[in-house]
Amino acid sequence: MAGDKVDPTHQFMINEIVPIHIGGLNLSFTNASLFMVATLVVAIGFLYFTTTPRSVVPGRMQSVSELSYEFIASMLREGAGSHGMHFFPMVFSLFMFILTANLLGMVPYFFTITSQIIVTFALALFVIGTVLVYGFYKHGFGFLKVFVPSGVPGILLPLVVAIEIISFLSRPISLSVRLFANMLAGHITLKVFAGFVASLGTMGALGIGGAILPLIMTVALTGLEFLVAFLQAYVFAVLTCMYLNDAVHPGGH
Amino acid sequence: MFVTAAYAQSTTPPEGETPHAAPGDVHTETGVASEGAHGSGVFPPFDQSTFASQLVWLAITFGLFYLLMQKVIMPRIAAILGERHDAIASDLDAASRSKADADAAIASYEQELAAARAKGNAIAASAREAAKVKAAADRAAIEAALNDKIVAAESRIADIKASALADVGAIAEETASAIVEQLLGRDVPRTEIASAVKAAAE
């Protein structure tokens, strides 16, 4: 990746590893696919092997697994009530998948699958699709109450309903773009500042002195990016809980 | 500068992408293009030729992930948490049982202590009573004996007094006859002296 040219977008390049073409579609196993599989293996492996001791008094690693489980469980219970607990596997899977993908992306030379808009958009559509399907399946046309907040004066109602519909339609976009843009921008920024260190370092003694500043910046940004990696997974899970609350309680504004 | 470059690239895909994507057969070509000349290609995250592959692999991996989470991981963690919850509940039960046992032991101990104390009090009271009765009996017996002695002594005193008083009469008669004999120089009959002494004594 760190070739002769410092191109901050090169890290998002998708390269085919095993070319697969089915019915005119390119379904090749790429580096993105590889890191999806890696995310799957790392997350499942971590959750599986840390809970293998099954000890009543948990060790550190077992605590991490249990805490993340209880963290998402309480988040969903607070966000969508006890009826929302049907969606616990979904929210927990989304959180762990995105968190693991984000953290794997922090490893140098690793591909960040959540920096691909199509991946985050697919995950967001999965959430909104679940909300729509479950909402209409459970409440029929009563689900449309989600667009009609209670306690709004009659004159304002058409305006408020229009705003609600627009906000609902923008949810998959905001949900996916938020995660995508955060991961993309963070990795580009890191690459740019790290690139400054490399290019200033080749410019003699003065350059090495000047390279210290972007180096400090890179270190600080790395810490920030670890925070962002967790925070974006958390935000995605929280918003998923909120949207699922609409599906469970359509009139509960 | 990088951002502007990326922005410039992101505007190109509509022209650059449609001819490639439409035939559907030239994906290796776009792949090569994006691999080789990324500088002039589209911004990678917006490269639509990769979308189908990413979607399929995401569906496979995330689907498998979801299944494994639902079938393996979550029941596992739920079982551990349930076991812990049960263990804590049973420990709390055992603790409260032990506490109840201890309370019962304390209660029975205090009951026994109270009974023993009451028994001790009863023994002391009966002993005190018995001692009191015995003391009273002894005292009564001694008093009775003393009274007998007093009565005997008093009767003796009365006897002695009576005999002494009787002797006093005789002595007075003898003394009186001796005085009269000395005064008158003659003998006075004994009966007269006796009546005179008696009159003087009264």
Side-chain angles (χ1 to χ4, degrees):
Chain A
M1 251 189 218
D4 300 317
K5 289 182 288 179
V6 179
D7 177 3
T9 63
H10 185 263
Q11 57 182 316
F12 306 113
M13 289 299 304
I14 289 179
N15 308 310
E16 291 178 14
I17 295 171
V18 182
I20 302 167
H21 298 272
I22 299 167
L25 284 172
N26 183 3
L27 308 179
S28 303
F29 189 81
T30 61
N31 54 347
S33 319
L34 177 69
F35 279 96
M36 289 177 196
V37 173
T39 302
L40 165 76
V41 170
V42 168
I44 292 289
F46 179 83
L47 289 172
Y48 188 86
F49 288 110
T50 54
T51 52
T52 299
R54 303 185 79 96
S55 42
V56 173
V57 179
R60 282 182 200 167
M61 288 296 129
Q62 191 181 329
S63 286
V64 172
S65 293
E66 288 174 7
L67 282 176
S68 50
Y69 178 94
E70 290 180 321
F71 175 60
I72 299 297
S74 67
M75 181 199 291
L76 184 57
R77 196 173 291 115
E78 280 165 26
S82 54
H83 291 294
M85 294 309 282
H86 302 300
F87 299 107
F88 186 27
M90 175 184 155
V91 181
F92 192 34
S93 298
L94 279 171
F95 175 75
M96 289 310 293
F97 195 82
I98 294 170
L99 179 64
T100 313
N102 290 353
L103 289 177
L104 274 182
M106 288 307 296
V107 179
Y109 295 101
F110 277 28
F111 186 82
T112 316
I113 59 175
T114 42
S115 67
Q116 300 292 316
I117 181 74
I118 188 69
V119 170
T120 61
F121 192 66
L123 292 173
L125 271 189
F126 172 52
V127 171
I128 300 299
T130 308
V131 168
L132 284 173
V133 169
Y134 184 82
F136 278 115
Y137 168 74
K138 199 78 183 171
H139 304 284
F141 284 103
F143 178 63
L144 295 175
K145 271 191 288 189
V146 82
F147 300 118
V148 188
S150 55
V152 174
I155 302 169
L156 286 176
L157 205 57
L159 183 65
V160 171
V161 167
I163 291 170
E164 288 284 333
I165 290 173
I166 291 167
S167 103
F168 190 88
L169 291 177
S170 67
R171 278 176 184 181
I173 299 162
S174 66
L175 193 58
S176 56
V177 168
R178 183 181 299 111
L179 176 58
F180 157 72
N182 267 286
M183 299 319 290
L184 184 84
H187 282 76
I188 289 178
T189 317
L190 263 183
K191 190 81 176 184
V192 168
F193 276 98
F196 285 161
V197 178
S199 49
L200 282 172
T202 58
M203 289 165 69
L206 198 70
I208 290 173
I212 290 173
L213 220 66
L215 181 65
I216 293 169
M217 201 63 190
T218 308
V219 171
L221 277 173
T222 307
L224 181 72
E225 281 309 301
F226 273 107
L227 177 72
V228 168
F230 170 78
L231 203 66
Q232 288 305 316
Y234 169 76
V235 165
F236 200 97
V238 165
L239 287 173
T240 301
C241 291
M242 278 176 54
Y243 299 160
L244 287 171
N245 186 39
D246 284 345
V248 179
H249 311 109
H253 275 272
Chain B
M1 53 173 179
F2 297 106
V3 180
T4 47
Y7 182 73
Q9 286 156 17
S10 70
T11 55
T12 50
E15 307 125 42
E17 202 52 38
T18 35
H20 288 299
D25 213 355
V26 281
H27 292 283
T28 44
E29 195 185 308
T30 49
V32 167
S34 58
E35 262 181 275
H38 49 79
S40 59
V42 295
F43 183 52
F46 296 131
D47 183 358
Q48 288 175 24
S49 66
T50 65
F51 283 7
S53 153
Q54 290 204 64
L55 281 178
V56 166
W57 284 102
L58 178 68
I60 292 169
T61 51
F62 188 74
L64 196 61
F65 184 77
Y66 184 95
L67 270 181
L68 284 171
M69 289 293 271
Q70 194 184 22
K71 301 288 178 205
V72 181
I73 300 297
M74 294 180 59
R76 212 173 147 85
I77 297 178
I80 292 171
L81 294 177
E83 274 168 29
R84 177 166 318 139
H85 189 262
D86 290 351
I88 288 171
S90 72
D91 284 0
L92 281 177
D93 273 5
S96 71
R97 257 201 310 282
S98 301
K99 191 177 179 296
D101 287 355
D103 285 351
I106 287 171
S108 75
Y109 158 76
E110 285 189 341
Q111 201 175 342
E112 275 175 25
L113 187 68
R117 196 172 281 152
K119 203 177 159 195
N121 281 341
I123 289 169
S126 70
R128 202 179 297 128
E129 205 62 32
K132 209 181 271 173
V133 167
K134 190 167 173 281
D138 287 356
R139 191 168 149 199
I142 289 166
E143 274 175 0
L146 286 175
N147 275 340
D148 287 352
K149 278 183 186 171
I150 288 168
V151 167
E154 275 175 353
S155 70
R156 254 186 77 205
I157 288 167
D159 286 352
I160 291 167
K161 202 174 174 182
S163 69
L165 280 174
D167 288 350
V168 164
I171 290 166
E173 279 170 22
E174 272 172 28
T175 312
S177 68
I179 291 169
V180 167
E181 220 174 71
Q182 286 289 317
L183 285 175
L184 299 179
R186 63 166 181 117
D187 218 15
V188 179
R190 203 151 185 103
T191 47
E192 269 182 36
I193 290 170
S195 64
V197 166
K198 209 169 180 183
E202 278 170 7

